[in-house]
Amino acid sequence: MRALAMHSIIAVSMLYAIPAHAQDGKNAPEKIGLWKKRAPIGMDKFEDVEVWITLHRPAKANGTAVVICPGGGYGGLVTGAEGHGIAAWLNQHGITGVVLEYRLPKGRAQVPLFDAQRAIRTVRANAKAWNLDSARIGIMGFSAGGHLASTAGTHFDAGDASSPDPVERVSCRPDFMILVYPVVTMGGKGHSGSRANLLGKSPDAKLVGLYSNETQVRANTPPTFLAHAKDDKPVPPSNSQMFYDALRDKKVPARYLELPSGGHGLNGYKGPMWDAWQRQSLEWLVEMKLAPTATSSSRGGDDHLLHKFNRQELTDVYFSEGANVGDLNRDGKIDVVYGPYWFEGPDYKIKHELYPPVPQPREKYADNFFNWVYDFNGDGWPDVFVVGFPGRPAYVYENPKGKFGKHWPKHQVMDAVANESPQFLDLVGDERPELVCTFGGAFTVWPGTNRIAAVR
């Protein structure tokens, strides 16, 4: 383990690295507010918050754009693997990626839909300026984000031609949908956590029906590509199957890729099942004439891409066994967390302290053995979870929401972690991970679903 410590920073940063051509000059990711801090909540009422999209533009745009809805059970947002990472992949194929950080509903069912509709309108209204075809603006969603995407694809309007706001004058109908292990129904075969977060704990039957999108398909529902693993337990593949059947019944062009394995998240967003939906969705876009035949801006007919990464040393001091990544300051760029520091992307020259730095002896285990980036308290700002070894406590460092001049508030969540390779993953199927480790001679689970306020 010692020899790997100092190399882990660069290795981890490659996971969701944005290609160099997407970070330079005019193609750097751009954050754009949707509502000017007057976001609708329904019944002609508004709240003083902003909702952001991050525009990822390829080196050579082919005219197609996709609004990306990350998953998270409507209780959080997985903006890395299911957001900015997807946008970077789309950019490799000339497609503009637009990551939507929609508001979490907390029982206000219309709120995420308002944001998705506004995002589609915004992209379409700016099509000429962004070198896009206004008839090739699609939406993509993962898990609960797939529910939002399918809601946008079944609940839309042509715009209000009399509106003083030019964005509201254009249609919010997506031209296509790509739904990956989506929640679709709010009925018994759906995901209970997503349903409770979206509709409340005891929604009436009418509301359940309205947001069970397999019942909302019409002849003008956009063409749809679906992908779902047969062994997905948290969100059964029947969600995709029901939606596909409804599309076919209405003679809407659709394709359903039923994957033999991968579970929810398709083996952690990697491997042959993950590659399969990406490859086949691109092929489908070409077949549907929703993207040009040449779907890559950087390859010549080969299915393999070769990228060159530059090595950058962030520090020569040993603080931690591992590193991780996330958008800690919510600027649309991937930051790197290593030991007591986090480094601002995309150049990683600015560093901030999470806690007082204490160099660790290289021949021993570090106080910071592993760390993970996750929004524990649902405030939209990623926190940092640190686990030491052996027998050291586990802490959550709470993101100070942009006030980065001081050390982050520290919350102890476990007395000690005893094994060398703890795992942070979703065991109970609520799309919020738990820490699995040994403690006191037995395996134990810390419920990561608890909010910070509940574990102080």
Side-chain angles (χ1 to χ4, degrees):
M1 296 295 291
R2 302 277 80 73
L4 296 177
M6 292 310 299
H7 299 287
S8 60
I9 295 176
I10 300 301
V12 173
S13 67
M14 290 181 184
L15 289 175
Y16 306 119
I18 299 170
H21 65 69
Q23 293 185 351
D24 56 14
K26 66 179 182 180
N27 289 323
E30 179 183 357
K31 290 195 78 169
I32 299 167
L34 293 180
W35 294 116
K36 298 181 180 178
K37 291 192 175 182
R38 192 170 184 268
I41 59 176
M43 304 295 290
D44 290 324
K45 295 181 179 179
F46 302 85
E47 60 181 346
D48 183 21
V49 300
E50 189 53 282
V51 176
W52 299 94
I53 57 173
T54 302
L55 177 67
H56 294 257
R57 302 172 71 175
K60 186 176 180 181
N62 64 19
T64 301
V66 178
V67 173
I68 304 162
C69 303
Y74 282 128
L77 295 177
V78 186
T79 55
E82 296 176 354
H84 301 296
I86 295 298
W89 162 68
L90 290 171
N91 283 177
Q92 294 170 4
H93 300 276
I95 298 172
T96 299
V98 183
V99 180
L100 170 62
E101 296 181 50
Y102 54 89
R103 288 171 289 166
L104 302 179
K106 300 177 182 178
R108 304 172 301 172
Q110 287 182 289
V111 163
L113 178 58
F114 287 148
D115 296 344
Q117 291 173 333
R118 181 72 175 183
I120 295 167
R121 293 190 211 273
T122 299
V123 176
R124 183 163 283 128
N126 286 280
K128 184 176 181 179
W130 296 347
N131 195 24
L132 301 174
D133 184 339
S134 62
R136 287 196 269 135
I137 311 299
I139 193 165
M140 177 186 295
F142 301 81
S143 194
H147 182 268
L148 177 55
S150 65
T151 306
T154 51
H155 302 70
F156 52 80
D157 60 61
D160 180 2
S162 64
S163 174
D165 182 353
V167 173
E168 289 298 314
R169 296 173 198 160
V170 300
S171 170
C172 64
R173 177 188 181 273
D175 295 303
F176 60 88
M177 293 185 280
I178 297 176
L179 310 178
V180 186
Y181 43 86
V183 178
V184 170
T185 186
M186 289 287 106
K189 295 182 179 180
H191 181 254
S192 59
S194 297
R195 180 173 60 249
N197 286 331
L198 182 67
L199 306 182
K201 293 184 178 180
S202 302
D204 61 40
K206 184 177 180 180
L207 192 62
V208 169
L210 181 63
Y211 287 92
S212 291
N213 294 324
E214 77 280 7
T215 70
Q216 301 299 316
V217 173
R218 303 292 182 265
N220 61 347
T221 298
T224 305
F225 178 94
L226 302 109
H228 219 127
K230 293 174 67 175
D231 60 352
D232 190 330
K233 302 301 183 185
V235 181
S238 54
N239 281 261
S240 286
Q241 185 67 59
M242 288 189 295
F243 199 66
Y244 176 73
D245 291 343
L247 292 164
R248 299 291 289 174
D249 184 60
K250 297 295 183 181
K251 296 181 170 47
V252 176
R255 179 170 300 174
Y256 176 28
L257 173 63
E258 187 177 67
L259 298 161
S261 63
H264 199 65
L266 299 179
N267 297 314
Y269 321 112
K270 63 183 183 298
M273 300 301 106
W274 184 257
D275 295 342
W277 83 259
Q278 290 194 327
R279 182 182 66 256
Q280 294 195 36
S281 63
L282 290 174
E283 293 170 351
W284 177 79
L285 286 174
V286 172
E287 291 173 16
M288 295 298 299
K289 302 189 184 319
L290 293 164
T293 301
T295 59
S296 172
S297 59
S298 58
R299 68 178 185 174
D302 190 358
D303 283 336
H304 301 280
L305 292 167
L306 178 64
H307 293 285
K308 182 178 180 180
F309 291 89
N310 295 322
R311 179 185 176 91
Q312 178 179 346
E313 183 176 81
L314 301 183
T315 177
D316 61 357
V317 179
Y318 172 56
F319 288 106
S320 173
E321 288 283 339
N324 222 311
V325 296
D327 184 7
L328 298 186
N329 56 357
R330 304 203 316 180
D331 64 353
K333 302 175 180 64
I334 300 301
D335 309 309
V336 171
V337 180
Y338 174 68
Y341 300 117
W342 67 274
F343 300 81
E344 286 191 30
D347 57 14
Y348 309 111
K349 293 179 180 178
I350 299 175
K351 72 177 180 181
H352 304 270
E353 289 186 9
L354 297 166
Y355 56 87
V358 178
Q360 302 292 298
R362 292 178 182 271
E363 71 278 4
K364 296 182 180 180
Y365 290 109
D367 290 339
N368 183 329
F369 197 67
F370 289 115
N371 69 66
W372 294 273
V373 177
Y374 184 77
D375 178 13
F376 283 91
N377 58 356
D379 63 0
W381 292 83
D383 310 302
V384 176
F385 183 26
V386 173
V387 173
F389 176 82
R392 293 180 174 87
Y395 300 100
V396 169
Y397 290 88
E398 183 180 357
N399 194 312
K401 302 179 183 179
K403 299 177 181 178
F404 298 128
K406 299 180 180 179
H407 292 148
W408 290 23
K410 175 180 176 182
H411 309 281
Q412 182 172 330
V413 296
M414 284 194 71
D415 292 335
V417 175
N419 64 308
E420 185 169 334
S421 298
Q423 297 292 314
F424 191 52
L425 72 170
D426 180 13
L427 280 183
V428 299
D430 62 355
E431 298 190 29
R432 305 189 73 177
E434 291 77 42
L435 177 70
V436 183
C437 61
T438 57
F439 174 70
F443 277 100
T444 188
V445 174
W446 174 66
T449 52
N450 284 0
R451 298 191 173 202
I452 289 175
V455 295
R456 283 178 174 164

